[in-house]
Each structure stands twice: as C-alpha cells, then as structure tokens.
Amino acid sequence: KNEVEQSPQNLTAQEGEFITINCSYSVGISALHWLQQHPGGGIVSLFMLSSGKKKHGRLIATINIQEKHSSLHITASHPRDSAVYICAPVVGNQFYFGTGTSLTVIP
Amino acid sequence: IAGITQAPTSQILAAGRRMTLRCTQDMRHNAMYWYRQDLGLGLRLIHYSNTAGTTGKGEVPDGYSVSRANTDDFPLTLASAVPSQTSVYFCASSENAEDEQFFGPGTRLTVL
C-alpha cells in the first residue's frame, strides 16, 4: 500500500507570499497528480507529472521520483488560491490520494 | 453537456432504500471512476471502469455496484443504503487509465 503524506496539513498565508506544499509517498510511482478542491467542493486537475517540473501561470509543480517527493509552489498567492490541494501518486492505474493541504490566503 | 456531470446534486435517503447516482461524460474518455470523500479521509476509490463493458473493484466496493454499458455513462447503485454510506460521491474520467482525471461536481448523499 502506498502511504501518502502531505505537509503542512493547514496553511495560512498573506496575499503575495510564496507558498510550498509538499507530498511524500512510500512506493515507486509512474506519475503524480496534483488537484485543487475549491471551498464549494469542486475538484480541478492542476498537473500530472512524471519527472522534472511543470508550470502553469503562478503554479509550479516539481517531482523527484528517486526521493519519492513532489512539491507544489504558488507564487504571488492570492485569496482566490484558498482551497484544498491534493496530491495523488499513481502506481499502475491506481491513484492514491492524500488527505490534502488546506490553504487560506488572507488579503 | 460539457465535460462530466453528476445527478442528483444532493439527496437524502432513508436507510434500506435503493439509489442510483448518475454520471455522464462527453469527452469520449475510456476510463471512469467513482470515489467517496469523507471528512478527514482522502478520496477513496469505490469502483472503476477502464473501458466500456468492463468494471473493477476499488478500495471500498462493498454495498455498491456499477455498470458500464457505453462509453459515456457510469452509474453507481446502492442496493440497500446504510447510514455509513453518507458521503460526498465524485465521478471522474480520464482518457485512459493512468491519465489525468477530470472530476464531476459531486453528489452529496445523506442516508438516515
């Protein structure tokens, strides 16, 4: 079974701050999925990556397969970034979802 | 329809009743999934389908059944609902298994 740990569990930041959310997992994976869950409950796919780094707007995701670790960075954070961020390592066709990091960005 | 839809949005159900949650996608994705999300727990896979005509059990399949008669639809049935099935249910789809998943808006189910 793949153990998935996200840190921190909760995070409060001031608008404009640089934010990092970490995801560690215990078994070898083929890829990792980052998701965002809005306060209203909707879930949006942010990134799917298997190596290196991906960037989309103010969001950057990195992964180190050998160290079994991925990070999600948010630059120039904004209150609309307030959400739960979920990582999901992929083993074969199985997605293992973390419990998420709850981010609140204060104006 | 654009993307993936679920119905109903929410439902209150008496224990013992039968209920079907509907999920439809118009992206012609091969793979579809049903998850439940409970407070303090991550998304847990109930059932999945890698392609039309096939289904498989996930982490928490007991008390649920699915069918995949065509590419677009993936209904989830609770044959006899119990209070422990109170949860938010998400349907998702991906082009193929292992690909990025796209989620529906969720169904909030309360079993009394």
Side-chain angles (χ1 to χ4, degrees):
Chain A
K1 184 170 162 49
N2 191 11
E3 301 294 331
V4 182
E5 288 193 11
Q6 289 188 234
S7 63
Q9 286 187 312
N10 298 284
L11 179 58
T12 300
Q14 287 293 134
E15 183 173 358
E17 282 186 20
F18 180 84
I19 288 163
T20 295
I21 298 169
N22 296 299
C23 176
S24 298
Y25 46 91
S26 59
V27 302
I29 66 170
S30 54
L32 187 139
H33 202 176
W34 279 102
L35 303 152
Q36 179 193 53
Q37 186 166 25
H38 297 292
I43 299 174
V44 175
S45 172
L46 297 176
F47 296 102
M48 184 92 158
L49 70 168
S50 56
S51 66
K53 179 167 76 174
K54 284 191 174 181
K55 184 175 189 290
H56 181 71
R58 294 180 295 105
L59 301 178
I60 303 166
T62 64
I63 189 167
N64 186 319
I65 291 286
Q66 288 75 24
E67 294 190 3
K68 297 185 172 58
H69 182 267
S70 177
S71 293
L72 178 69
H73 307 283
I74 305 175
T75 61
S77 59
H78 189 277
R80 65 176 174 266
D81 297 325
S82 298
V84 175
Y85 292 84
I86 301 168
C87 75
V90 184
V91 180
N93 63 355
Q94 289 282 318
F95 286 67
Y96 293 91
F97 292 87
T99 54
T101 293
S102 180
L103 170 66
T104 302
V105 181
I106 300 170
Chain B
I1 296 174
I4 183 165
T5 60
Q6 292 183 235
T9 302
S10 65
Q11 182 75 44
I12 299 173
L13 191 64
R17 298 297 293 266
R18 180 184 178 88
M19 176 74 193
T20 295
L21 307 186
R22 299 185 296 281
C23 176
T24 299
Q25 53 100 3
D26 66 355
M27 298 175 281
R28 306 304 293 172
H29 284 173
N30 287 310
M32 297 186 75
Y33 313 85
W34 273 106
Y35 297 96
R36 60 178 289 173
Q37 187 179 42
D38 302 291
L39 200 62
L41 300 175
L43 290 160
R44 294 184 291 168
L45 182 66
I46 304 170
H47 285 286
Y48 65 93
S49 169
N50 286 337
T51 190
T54 70
T55 62
K57 293 182 179 181
E59 182 184 353
V60 289
D62 294 342
Y64 306 95
S65 63
V66 291
S67 61
R68 188 88 186 278
N70 57 60
T71 298
D72 299 347
D73 302 300
F74 191 43
L76 176 75
T77 297
L78 289 68
S80 179
V82 295
S84 62
Q85 292 178 310
T86 294
S87 188
V88 180
Y89 291 85
F90 287 96
C91 179
S93 71
S94 60
E95 187 166 352
N96 293 296
E98 298 186 29
D99 289 334
E100 181 181 14
Q101 292 187 15
F102 297 88
F103 285 77
T107 294
R108 184 174 295 274
L109 181 68
T110 302
V111 182
L112 301 176

